[in-house]
Amino acid sequence: MRIDVISAVPKILRSPLRESIIKRAQAKKLVRIYVHDLRKYAEGKYRQVDDKPFGGGGGMVLKPEPMFKCIEKLLSKRKYDEVIYLTPQGVKLNQRKANKLSLSENIILICGHYKGVDQRVIDKFVTMELSIGDYVLTGGETAALVVIDALIRLVPGVLGNSESALSDSFQTESKFDAPVYTRPAEFEGMKVPDVLLKGNHKEIKEWRHKQGLKKYRKVKK
Ligand code: 6GU
């Protein structure tokens, strides 16, 4: 999978993409993530990427020209499955959508900032408007990181067998993972449940399933 992220504030994206599992996935060439600095596509002495909204009102709007230039360049090189604009007004991301999107060959993620992006960018290129939840962020960058994380962990080979995405919460019927423990078996008077220490795999499986259901019912009440 190849992901192209377009941002006016690329620094927000760069360092999180260089850590841990996302870093490993790129090193293994399982995913390629390219961050495009919108400013590089802007003209003039100040390489201005945003401007005041027509009709007044507060905030700034990302100008169409740099976005068009950047997106058109990408589209001229390869076919994209989706051109996604991250916005709190989009359809909400869930595990089902993440599963589907993780099968994509190439996607573009457009990060808005300030008041958002000029509508003509959306009208011309965007195939999906995506939100990560019902709250407002300062920009699409942190949302893009959430989307990238949710997608790449589903790409075969990114997670090891033991961490496999197929067994995690939301993919399984029990919806939520059971609580997990590691050593020590007793810590500050708090004990790890006996069933996990005894090594009966059938019992452990049943216990985990039940605990997952219990947690799901509690949270979703
Ligand atoms: Cl995708 N962008 C912004 N700016 N805020 C959000 C969001 C996205 N999803 C939820 N809130």
Side-chain angles (χ1 to χ4, degrees), residues 20-161:
S20 188
I21 292 171
I22 304 184
K23 170 186 173 180
R24 205 174 58 193
Q26 292 174 95
K28 285 205 244 171
K29 303 248 153 68
L30 296 169
V31 292
R32 283 166 299 156
I33 305 171
Y34 297 92
V35 175
H36 305 276
D37 182 355
L38 194 59
R39 199 167 289 276
K40 292 209 173 129
Y41 296 84
E43 305 274 353
K45 195 172 158 200
Y46 299 105
R47 294 192 169 265
Q48 196 181 342
V49 294
D50 57 358
D51 207 341
K52 287 180 288 193
F54 277 121
M60 296 292 265
V61 176
L62 288 175
K63 290 163 65 63
E65 307 95 312
M67 271 295 178
F68 267 61
K69 246 200 217 163
C70 182
I71 297 168
E72 274 170 349
K73 188 171 163 196
L74 292 172
L75 294 180
S76 75
K77 299 222 163 113
R78 64 196 68 77
K79 234 182 116 46
Y80 284 88
D81 302 274
E82 300 282 356
V83 179
I84 299 170
Y85 174 49
L86 296 155
T87 164
Q89 281 120 49
V91 297
K92 230 177 295 164
L93 180 69
N94 56 25
Q95 193 60 53
R96 187 190 301 269
K97 286 201 189 76
N99 290 347
K100 188 152 177 264
L101 281 172
S102 75
L103 301 172
S104 307
E105 204 63 56
N106 304 307
I107 60 171
I108 294 176
L109 299 178
I110 301 170
C111 304
H113 223 82
Y114 322 109
K115 273 276 142 198
V117 64
D118 188 288
Q119 182 62 33
R120 289 165 290 190
V121 173
I122 298 169
D123 294 345
K124 175 99 184 196
F125 301 111
V126 169
T127 60
M128 179 191 292
E129 295 184 58
L130 195 61
S131 162
I132 63 160
D134 291 334
Y135 41 82
V136 181
L137 304 169
T138 55
E141 284 77 10
T142 46
L145 290 169
V146 168
V147 173
I148 291 169
D149 189 313
L151 298 196
I152 70 149
R153 65 187 294 287
L154 296 167
V155 172
V158 168
L159 298 184
N161 251 346

